[in-house]
Amino acid sequence: PQGIATTIWQTSPTRDNQEEFRRLNLLAEIFGDRLREEIREKLGASYSPNAGAGGSDALENMGYIISQSIGKPEDLDLLLNTMRDLADKLATDGATEDELDRALKPVLGMLDKSLRDNGYWLSTVMSQCQADPKRLDLARNRDSDYKSITLKEINGLARKYLAAENTLLVTIKPK
């Protein structure tokens, strides 16, 4: 039997806040790398812990960073505590320049590739630009915005959101 441990931190809404959402995604990537190193490699308690940022374009005040890890039911408290403590350490001590670089380089590579992909232009930019003209501006400044992200911004978001006292802890256990 397996269960799932989930930790959630509320963030600013993602609606009309794409620049911060991009930074939250990088913060979540850095956090996810720390989770994999600690939970998978050191503890061996779960094969694929992960973290991400999300929100809603439709609902106001809906933004979050989430981490999840599947494990044995008896390990769920260990997984929850580890995820909460790693996030709190990230909030307190911050990320390193190397961690930001390792999170950002693959994103910049994907961005460059997407410019040559019709799927990006048709599905992401053009599909709703008549109803939401801001999509065109978001596409125009996307690459330069990602390249401008600083460690100070990432660490500021970590301090703002990832403190232990802001964590919602959730487990789903089998019967």
Side-chain angles (χ1 to χ4, degrees):
Q2 292 187 321
I4 188 163
T6 303
T7 52
I8 305 165
W9 297 264
Q10 185 175 1
T11 66
S12 297
T14 57
R15 190 165 116 186
D16 297 327
N17 198 3
Q18 191 64 40
E19 288 78 13
E20 183 168 301
F21 185 57
R22 290 171 180 155
R23 285 148 181 82
L24 289 172
N25 277 316
L26 285 175
L27 175 59
E29 186 63 34
I30 292 167
F31 180 41
D33 278 347
R34 288 186 179 195
L35 291 175
R36 282 184 289 281
E37 184 178 315
E38 184 69 24
I39 292 174
R40 179 179 173 176
E41 295 174 19
K42 291 182 183 173
L43 298 176
S46 179
Y47 183 73
S48 57
N50 62 74
S56 174
D57 285 335
L59 301 173
E60 291 187 33
N61 299 319
M62 178 61 157
Y64 56 87
I65 292 177
I66 186 169
S67 65
Q68 296 183 321
S69 191
I70 295 172
K72 297 176 187 171
E74 61 269 20
D75 289 341
L76 294 181
D77 285 339
L78 170 67
L79 293 171
L80 284 176
N81 292 332
T82 302
M83 290 186 287
R84 183 198 57 223
D85 293 348
L86 285 174
D88 191 59
K89 184 168 175 47
L90 186 54
T92 303
D93 300 341
T96 66
E97 199 66 56
D98 179 59
E99 287 175 311
L100 176 59
D101 190 50
R102 285 186 287 135
L104 190 54
K105 275 186 179 175
V107 171
L108 294 175
M110 262 185 351
L111 296 178
D112 187 48
K113 183 181 178 204
S114 72
L115 293 174
R116 300 182 303 273
D117 182 4
N118 286 338
Y120 165 71
W121 292 106
L122 294 173
S123 300
T124 304
V125 180
M126 303 305 291
S127 70
Q128 296 180 21
C129 70
Q130 192 168 5
D132 185 9
K134 293 182 304 233
R135 286 183 174 270
L136 294 173
D137 288 332
L138 290 173
R140 286 183 188 109
N141 75 15
R142 179 192 74 165
D143 293 14
S144 62
D145 185 40
Y146 269 105
K147 289 175 184 173
S148 75
I149 294 173
T150 66
L151 184 60
K152 183 177 179 180
E153 289 174 305
I154 297 299
N155 288 337
L157 290 172
R159 272 190 307 282
K160 183 176 180 180
Y161 297 121
L162 294 182
E165 63 269 12
N166 298 332
T167 313
L168 174 64
L169 306 173
V170 179
T171 58
I172 300 173
K173 298 179 181 181
K175 284 187 175 185

